[in-house]
Amino acid sequence: MMLVKLGGSVITDKTNYLAYREDVLSRLVAEIVAARKDIILVHGAGSFGHVLASEHRLQGGYTGDSQIPAAAKVMEDVRDLNLRVMRTLNAGGLPSASLPPSAVASLRSGELDILDVGMFRRYLDLGMCPVTFGDVALDSERRFGICSGDQLMERLAHEFRPQRVIFVSDIDGVFTADPTTDPDATLIETVDRETLDSLPRTHRCADVTGSIFGKIETMMRIASWGGDAVVLNGNAPGRLGAALRGEAVVGSKVKGGEA
Ligand code: IP8
């Protein structure tokens, strides 16, 4: 089984509120279908979630009633994105079942607490691809919060122990410096604890759910449970398909840290 996260930066245009990249998603779905693997899919929220979540400081949980309409609007928007993803998956030949965190998960102080993994298992058994996504969810301490796709990836990797965990991003992988501003930045093929600690902490951090460093820490925990954890560029045709077939691919492989 493989666990794949389609990053919000690849399936949406993160700079434009509610801009969906259907052409990119259709191609990625074709690569998944061609690979013929059992898959659990997670997708990010991109411009359907982060813009309003940051404007209304939803990440830290409830601070006042004025946030409630914004939280509801973010839930509506990420459902809208998810519905578009579901249509693309089903039309592309990957029968899929949507499992929204607002209904199957809850947080405790911003951390993922409860996730109904049994549901994922039953849809997989039925021959469907379970799909979940970054969403607003209830929080037992903070009333509500943001459940990120990366938190879901970590829990699902822990429960299902997939052969490979793939993060599909809009850049080739982890670089020695920020490739958007530094022409000397080079791709790091294998990232371990030592490399991570030596990286300059100047990379861009555009999300309410954290920076690339937080993502790599998550990937290290995932890799420490056995499977490969890989980050690759979904804008480059063929790379996701190759990674699903277990082939070497341009990207960064993250080696497990301490469990
Ligand atoms: O895009 C964030 O999930 P992510 C979810 O996976 C929201 O970080 C609603 C901002």
Side-chain angles (χ1 to χ4, degrees), residues 44 46 67 83 86 118 130 209 212 224 251:
Q67 290 175 303
L83 188 57
M86 301 310 290
T209 48
I212 182 75
S224 72

Side-chain angles (χ1 to χ4, degrees), residues 5-9 14 42-54 58-59 71 74-75 78 81 133-137 145-153 207-210 215:
K5 180 181 177 193
L6 301 176
S9 58
K14 281 191 105 164
V42 175
H43 66 80
S47 61
F48 288 67
H50 288 275
V51 177
L52 287 189
S54 145
L58 303 184
Q59 175 66 9
V74 170
M75 287 166 91
V78 293
L81 174 62
F133 53 91
D135 198 358
V136 173
I146 299 290
C147 176
S148 74
D150 287 2
Q151 289 172 309
L152 294 159
M153 289 290 281
D207 282 359
V208 295
T209 48
K215 184 184 287 293

